[in-house]
């Protein structure tokens, strides 16, 4: 029997006009035996750095779930070992991918309680920043909260909503992308002892873990579904605005209803620049705007 070919490592192509994403297709087996000492050392360094700064900053549910599922700090975890913990707790599982997936493929995985994880990890020179979601971002940032039943239900509902949104066109898909960005990737949650992080894009980043809670520059605004779905965001810098939920149940309540009337209501409405504060916002902190770039909101 012939050996399985090594999965590809798909990263964006850099051109003189900017970055061009390359999309993966299908799923792959995690080639765990192919990780070398450098790969494991990168994981170990990133894991130790984040776990040092996240207590008191990440939400209790994230830290508790990461410990409970047995994520190994000294080596890249095996998907099969984490899947055993996920299956027993919420019925989710990890599937290996080569990089970014097309929208519909991604939504379909979430709708069926499968979370795509890039099999490859960043290089040592990419420790502080990488454009694409690599194994560390996906595994360390996203997977632990799949152990939380309420958040796991939210992500499934989001995936099912994304599959339906394909029938409504690109505007609806962009509105859903903003919802994902400001919750799953860059969301904050209010605990009894203060604001905490739950978004994967923050908990996997040393700089943003500190910036989102402690910097005076960004806005921190109470979550409102329609407001979030109209708000542009940043992909090349720390966020200008973070939206704060009161609980994961709040996300479920916002996501379960049929979005068709919402898309109709939002159709043609202007988008909101990333740093704007509206009179109707529930403002927890109005940012100073220090260091903000003045263009390139998505």
């Amino acid at each position: 029997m012939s050996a399985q070919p090594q999965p590809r490592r798909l990263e964006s192509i850099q051109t003189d006009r900017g970055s061009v994403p390359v999309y993966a297709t299908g799923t792959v087996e995690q080639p765990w035996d192919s990780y070398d000492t450098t790969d494991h050392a990168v994981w170990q360094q990133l894991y130790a750095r984040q776990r040092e700064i996240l207590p008191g900053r990440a939400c209790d549910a994230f830290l508790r779930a990461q410990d409970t599922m047995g994520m190994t700090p000294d080596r890249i975890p095996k998907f099969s070992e984490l899947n055993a913990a996920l299956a027993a707790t919420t019925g989710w599982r990890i599937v290996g991918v080569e990089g970014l997936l097309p929208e519909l493929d991604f939504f379909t995985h979430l709708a069926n309680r499968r979370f795509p994880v890039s099999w490859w990890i960043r290089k040592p020179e990419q420790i502080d920043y990488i454009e694409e979601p690599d194994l560390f971002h996906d595994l360390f940032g996203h997977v632990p909260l799949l152990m939380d039943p309420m958040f796991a239900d939210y992500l499934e509902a989001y995936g099912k909503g994304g599959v339906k949104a394909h029938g409504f066109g690109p505007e609806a898909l962009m509105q859903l992308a903003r919802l994902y960005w400001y919750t799953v990737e860059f969301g904050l949650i209010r605990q009894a002892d203060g604001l905490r992080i739950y978004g994967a894009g923050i908990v996997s980043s040393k700089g943003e873990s500190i910036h989102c809670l402690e910097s005076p520059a960004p806005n921190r605004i109470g979550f409102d579904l329609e407001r979030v779905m109209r708000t542009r965001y940043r992909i090349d810098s720390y966020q200008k605005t973070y939206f704060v939920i009161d609980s994961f149940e709040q996300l479920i309540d916002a996501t379960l209803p049929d979005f068709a009337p919402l898309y109709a209501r939002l159709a043609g409405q202007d988008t909101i620049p990333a740093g704007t504060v509206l009179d109707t916002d529930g403002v927890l902190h109005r940012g100073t705007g220090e260091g903000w770039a003045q263009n390139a909101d998505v």
Side-chain angles (χ1 to χ4, degrees):
M1 186 174 179
S2 60
Q4 292 293 315
Q6 176 76 8
R8 298 168 299 168
R9 175 186 178 123
L10 296 183
E11 299 181 72
S12 298
I13 299 172
Q14 303 302 319
T15 72
D16 56 1
R17 295 187 177 183
S19 177
V20 178
V22 178
Y23 291 99
T25 56
T27 60
V28 297
E29 291 296 319
Q30 182 190 25
W32 196 86
D33 290 337
S34 73
Y35 296 132
D36 59 23
T37 55
T38 300
D39 294 326
H40 289 297
V42 167
W43 170 271
Q44 185 176 16
Q45 179 182 349
L46 288 167
Y47 187 100
R49 185 170 78 174
Q50 288 308 106
R51 283 304 299 245
E52 181 180 356
I53 67 170
L54 287 179
R57 292 187 176 100
C59 68
D60 294 343
F62 175 88
L63 296 172
R64 182 170 57 247
Q66 197 171 60
D67 290 338
T68 300
M69 74 187 312
M71 194 169 280
T72 48
D74 56 336
R75 61 171 173 81
I76 294 172
K78 293 183 177 180
F79 294 177
S80 58
E81 293 175 355
L82 299 182
N83 277 339
L86 286 168
T89 306
T90 59
W92 275 78
R93 67 185 177 95
I94 301 162
V95 292
V97 294
E98 296 175 313
L100 289 171
L101 294 177
E103 287 172 336
L104 185 56
D105 290 7
F106 181 67
F107 291 143
T108 300
H109 280 303
L110 298 186
N112 289 278
R113 292 196 170 230
R114 300 187 299 262
F115 195 87
V117 172
S118 295
W119 71 267
W120 51 270
I121 196 163
R122 68 193 70 182
K123 301 179 178 74
E125 61 269 23
Q126 298 169 312
I127 284 287
D128 289 319
Y129 177 76
I130 183 171
E131 185 174 337
E132 297 82 14
D134 73 329
L135 180 144
F136 184 77
H137 168 82
D138 288 342
L139 207 56
F140 183 97
H142 282 290
V143 169
L145 278 181
L146 297 177
M147 295 279 286
D148 183 278
M150 197 69 69
F151 188 82
D153 288 348
Y154 167 64
L155 211 53
E156 179 188 5
Y158 179 88
K160 289 178 177 177
V163 172
K164 292 179 183 178
H166 266 259
F168 290 92
E171 188 176 11
L173 289 172
M174 189 67 249
Q175 290 159 358
L176 270 189
R178 295 183 190 120
L179 176 61
Y180 189 89
W181 189 266
Y182 279 120
T183 59
V184 179
E185 291 288 1
F186 291 95
L188 299 179
I189 187 169
R190 201 180 337 226
Q191 289 188 171
D193 52 355
L195 295 188
R196 296 293 184 267
I197 305 160
Y198 71 93
I202 309 177
V203 297
S204 59
S205 164
K206 177 184 178 181
E208 196 139 10
S209 293
I210 297 168
H211 174 85
C212 70
L213 295 174
E214 298 167 36
S215 171
N219 304 310
R220 301 176 187 96
I221 295 173
F223 176 85
D224 175 88
L225 180 64
E226 293 190 25
R227 165 71 156 100
V228 167
M229 293 175 74
R230 293 176 58 202
T231 304
R232 304 202 296 269
Y233 54 83
R234 306 293 304 183
I235 61 172
D236 59 348
S237 67
Y238 297 150
Q239 299 306 301
K240 295 180 177 180
T241 296
Y242 299 94
F243 290 96
V244 181
I245 61 172
D246 294 320
S247 66
F248 294 141
E249 187 175 8
Q250 182 183 12
L251 291 180
I252 285 286
D253 291 344
T255 310
L256 284 180
D258 182 8
F259 272 23
L262 176 59
Y263 295 139
R265 196 159 57 246
L266 295 178
Q269 290 192 34
D270 291 337
T271 58
I272 302 168
T276 297
V277 176
L278 304 178
D279 292 341
T280 53
D281 286 337
V283 180
L284 284 72
H285 170 80
R286 183 183 292 266
T288 64
E290 181 181 358
W292 285 359
Q294 297 305 311
N295 52 22
D297 287 355
V298 174

